[in-house]
Structures are given as C-alpha cells and as structure tokens.
Amino acid sequence: MATALSSVQTALFSRTSLFRHSNGLRSFSICSPFSSSAASVSTDNLSRKKWRQPVVSVLELGGVKITKEDVVRNDPTNNVPDTIFSKLGMKLHRRDNHPLGILKNAIYEYFDANYSNKFNKLDDLCPIVSVKANFDDVLVPEDHVSRSYNDTYYVDPQTVLRCHTSAHQAELLRRGYTHFLVTGDVYRRDSIDSTHYPVFHQMEGFRVFAPDEWEASGMDATSFAAADLKTCLEGLARHLFGAVEMRWIDTYFPFTNPSFELEIYFQEKWLEVLGCGVTEQEILKRNGKPNNVAWAFGLGLERLAMVLFDIPDIRLFWSTDERFTSQFSKGKLGVKFKAFSKYPPCYKDVSFWINESFTENNLCEVVRGVAGDLVEEVQLIDNFTNKKGMTSHCYRIAYRSMERSLTDDEINDLQWKVREQVEKKLNVTMR
C-alpha cells in the first residue's frame, strides 16, 4: 500500500509510507486504472472515446492518448489545474539516470537478490483511478479527510488522480498477484515548502502467504507475517543506508493491523523510512484470499532520495537543468548533490480576510498556478480575529528559482497576479 495525506499523518501512512506524501506488472503496459466501474477511466472507454483537439498537449500513457480535456475539465467537481496535468506521464521514476530511478532500481536489486525474482515489478500503471480503488478498496472511511476536495485531485466525482500506489492493490490481488512492488507518481493537494510538492513518487511492496508457510513455523499467521515483514525491511534499510541503528514504532493505519513505522538513526538524527503492517483480513477476503495472510509497506522515493543524495529542495527533482541532471548516473546510489544555485529568495506578503470555505491547500494551489516552481514556500506568519468576528491571515511567499536570478519586475508581476487570483478564486477580501 502506498501513502497518506499530509494533513492526516497520524491516521494514514506518511509520505515515506504506505498510504501517502513517499514501484511494475510487466504485462500491464497500458493505461488502466484496474476498475470495472463505469465511472472510472478504463482502457476500453479511452479507446472508444472520440478524442477532441487537445487544448495544450496530448499524453501517451502506455500507448493510450489522454488529452488535457480528459483530465482538466470545465466541471464543478474537477479541481485538477494545468500545472498538475503537465506532470502526468513524465515518469521520473523510470529514468535510470535520475535520482528517483536510481533509488527505485537499488530497491529492485535488494528484492531480486533476496527473493529470487519472486516479486513482480509494476512501474507503469495509470495514475487515473476510480474513487473506489483509491479509497474504498483500502478501507478508508467515507468521512475521512483524505477524500476531501481540499486534499485530493478529482477528475470527476468518481475518478481521481491516485493519492497513493495502493490504489492498484485490490485489482492486483484479484488478478492473482501475490508478490509485487508498485512504483508510480502520486498526487496530493499540499502545502508549499522544500519537502512538499503536489506530485511525488511512491513504492508499495506486498507479499501474500499461504497457510502452510506459517503453520510450519509454529507461529500464528499475524505474528509470522509481522516477523517476516520486519526482517525484510531491516535488510532493505541496511542495503540503502548501511549498518545503521533502527527502531520500530507502533502506529495506526486503516488498512493494516498491526501497523509499524521503521526509523533509522542517520546523520545524527532519527529518520522515518517507511510505514508498513500486516494487511487487514477484510482486504484479502474481499479479493479472493480469505485463507491467506499478507504484509504491505510503502515508502516515498523523494524523501529517501533527498537524504541519500543530499538534495535540499524537492523542486529539483523536476529540473531539466544539466547542472542538476548531469550529476547522476545509472547505478550510482548516494552520489552527493553539489549545489549550483545560491540565488537568494525574495519575500512578499499577502494579507486578506478569510471566509468559512478558506483552506491553505486552496491558497497554495492558487500560488502554484501563478508562480509554478518559482515559489519556494508559503508560510502563515500572522492571524487575528477582530471584534466583528472576522479573521485575517497574512502569508509570506518566498520566491526563488533554483536555476537563475529573478528580477524585481518579474517578482512584482508574480505577486500582483497572485493577489488578483487569490481574491478572485478564493473569494476573500484583500487587506
């Protein structure tokens, strides 16, 4: 299972974990969300559809063409901006010379060496999935905050951009897969800072056991699966980080019980590496494996790559600047990134009276829509409520390019556009 939303880290796997914010079926090369739901985007639906002229560009996902109008729609339930559509199909995790691809391949090497190529690898599954696959199939409650339009990108009421790679878990189980690693790009409406980005990459691992495997051990099924899971992931941590001190933290996720987080002591601090647990029996029962037991883990590739490669800002993963891309080579895990940009940030403040529907995630979407990757951080620096009960927020926006100096005119133009769009789209009163 793969990731949870930053606003609910205590309830779901963190970006570095299973349900969250941080990899293939070789036979699944087409763009399919694995759902029979009529509301989801299936391969048949895509092939039968009369494609309209694309507004900006056309994506080829596994041979299936997806136009902008299929993702960014003039529909009140659609909240996918152009900036997110532009990231679909980039597949950074499939580039062998990219830090994310290098890390993914290093994890593959560990599983191949220790499990005799038993795990199927899926890294080209379509990120457009049904609400059922993304939430219902992994037991996320109907009233859970992660289903909110403030947290998830909805194509329509029944279709989303996957929040986590666990969105493919149920269908893979129904298709008979028992050992798999799923890697892919996942999408979340989130805050803006050096470690958060609305698109990131996850890997989920899943293993199913048959009764004869735990019966021979003399252990009960749950204890057997939990012990095997911990042995597997401790080995993976040593493979990536060397001989580090580790500790297990008991936690809660809606789709595993018991649930754990693995932390390692690295560079003089404890670092959360991943979330994991023994799969809830209900998931196995629903998908044709009532007599089995399973474990699952999830990790965020960006978070681990930032540590292993000393990459200071998550925006750099999307850079096409040769000063960044040329520093990494296939198979070279942990090469330390050498900074090439020391341009200072420029800070601009924006203040307004909020309304009842205001959320910071919506503000961040507006700022990203204007400034793109030139915005480094959006931070609340002041808020107060007056005698009339009106609440004011003041946010400090840091603008900085990772590749060049920004001019005063350029920054001022961005700030004015941000103010205009904040007032227009968020229906707030500027101060």
Side-chain angles (χ1 to χ4, degrees):
M1 297 180 192
T3 87
L5 302 162
S6 57
S7 60
V8 286
Q9 292 182 5
T10 57
L12 301 172
F13 284 123
S14 69
R15 261 186 206 277
T16 63
S17 319
L18 227 106
F19 184 69
R20 276 182 69 79
H21 251 275
S22 303
N23 282 312
L25 268 188
R26 296 187 181 91
S27 62
F28 285 93
S29 60
I30 59 176
C31 178
S32 170
F34 296 121
S35 175
S36 59
S37 168
S40 65
V41 182
S42 70
T43 304
D44 290 339
N45 288 340
L46 289 172
S47 62
R48 288 197 299 262
K49 184 170 181 178
K50 293 182 179 179
W51 297 98
R52 292 172 289 178
Q53 182 67 27
V55 177
V56 175
S57 62
V58 173
L59 298 175
E60 290 261 359
L61 292 176
V64 176
K65 292 184 178 181
I66 299 177
T67 70
K68 176 180 175 181
E69 292 174 320
D70 294 297
V71 181
V72 183
R73 301 174 182 172
N74 185 21
D75 183 298
T77 62
N78 185 284
N79 63 352
V80 183
D82 293 353
T83 51
I84 294 300
F85 171 77
S86 69
K87 297 294 192 294
L88 284 168
M90 295 191 70
K91 302 178 183 178
L92 302 182
H93 61 287
R94 303 194 76 204
R95 303 180 185 183
D96 290 342
N97 293 329
H98 190 279
L100 300 182
I102 295 168
L103 175 57
K104 182 199 74 173
N105 290 334
I107 299 172
Y108 281 179
E109 290 169 3
Y110 169 77
F111 279 92
D112 286 345
N114 290 275
Y115 295 92
S116 302
N117 297 309
K118 181 178 289 187
F119 280 80
N120 292 104
K121 306 179 189 72
L122 304 88
D123 67 356
D124 196 20
L125 304 184
C126 185
I128 304 171
V129 301
S130 68
V131 168
K132 178 180 181 297
N134 197 73
F135 295 120
D136 299 337
D137 287 349
V138 287
L139 309 183
V140 177
E142 291 187 3
D143 60 351
H144 199 280
V145 65
S146 64
R147 294 176 181 257
S148 167
Y149 283 79
N150 290 323
D151 289 83
T152 295
Y153 290 109
Y154 279 80
V155 176
D156 59 45
Q158 298 301 323
T159 313
V160 299
L161 299 182
R162 65 185 171 206
C163 302
H164 52 122
T165 47
S166 299
H168 306 289
Q169 182 185 113
E171 185 67 20
L172 292 176
L173 288 172
R174 289 194 292 270
R175 288 175 180 263
Y177 289 85
T178 59
H179 297 66
F180 51 85
L181 301 171
V182 179
T183 312
D185 43 329
V186 297
Y187 298 80
R188 306 243 187 94
R189 303 179 92 240
D190 212 338
S191 55
I192 298 177
D193 59 38
S194 63
T195 62
H196 291 85
Y197 200 78
V199 188
F200 53 101
H201 297 76
Q202 288 186 336
M203 178 186 288
E204 164 172 315
F206 202 93
R207 184 180 188 182
V208 178
F209 298 93
D212 59 349
E213 293 181 82
W214 70 79
E215 288 172 354
S217 72
M219 304 170 67
D220 66 83
T222 298
S223 298
F224 178 84
D228 185 88
L229 171 65
K230 290 183 176 181
T231 298
C232 171
L233 296 180
E234 287 172 1
L236 175 60
R238 285 190 292 269
H239 178 72
L240 297 177
F241 293 94
V244 292
E245 183 181 353
M246 306 179 205
R247 67 184 184 188
W248 289 97
I249 309 297
D250 292 335
T251 187
Y252 164 79
F253 303 120
F255 27 69
T256 55
N257 184 27
S259 303
F260 316 100
E261 289 176 347
L262 175 61
E263 295 184 349
I264 65 170
Y265 195 71
F266 188 73
Q267 297 178 346
E268 300 185 349
K269 62 181 179 181
W270 286 101
L271 171 72
E272 180 192 343
V273 176
L274 50 81
C276 61
V278 178
T279 306
E280 282 283 3
Q281 206 60 30
E282 180 64 21
I283 293 176
L284 296 173
K285 181 179 178 181
R286 290 182 184 182
N287 296 292
K289 293 179 169 47
N291 299 319
N292 299 89
V293 67
W295 57 241
F297 74 84
L299 55 82
L301 293 180
E302 275 86 348
R303 183 171 184 181
L304 296 187
M306 290 178 78
V307 174
L308 288 165
F309 293 94
D310 280 353
I311 296 174
D313 194 302
I314 196 169
R315 292 175 297 165
L316 279 165
F317 289 108
W318 300 92
S319 175
T320 58
D321 193 311
E322 289 188 0
R323 291 173 295 176
F324 176 78
T325 58
S326 65
Q327 294 191 36
F328 308 102
S329 302
K330 180 179 179 179
K332 302 294 184 180
L333 181 68
V335 172
K336 302 306 179 185
F337 169 69
K338 296 178 181 178
F340 56 83
S341 170
K342 299 184 183 298
Y343 303 114
C346 177
Y347 298 100
K348 295 288 185 178
D349 294 349
V350 57
S351 300
F352 46 83
W353 299 102
I354 68 171
N355 53 42
E356 291 182 355
S357 63
F358 174 80
T359 69
E360 288 192 12
N361 278 357
N362 286 340
L363 171 65
C364 290
E365 283 295 308
V366 171
V367 177
R368 279 198 184 98
V370 173
D373 285 353
L374 296 181
V375 58
E376 180 176 66
E377 185 176 32
V378 175
Q379 182 180 20
L380 178 66
I381 61 171
D382 184 52
N383 73 90
F384 69 90
T385 302
N386 65 15
K387 295 180 179 179
K388 296 181 179 180
M390 298 174 63
T391 299
S392 171
H393 283 188
C394 179
Y395 289 88
R396 179 154 294 164
I397 303 174
Y399 296 100
R400 171 159 44 184
S401 170
M402 303 299 294
E403 301 168 354
R404 62 184 177 83
S405 292
L406 299 177
T407 66
D408 289 340
D409 288 345
E410 187 175 12
I411 294 169
N412 289 335
D413 183 56
L414 287 173
Q415 183 67 5
W416 277 113
K417 288 180 179 178
V418 165
R419 289 179 59 87
E420 290 173 355
Q421 292 300 307
V422 166
E423 185 173 27
K424 176 182 178 180
K425 294 187 176 181
L426 302 185
N427 193 29
V428 297
T429 302
M430 308 303 293
R431 295 184 62 229

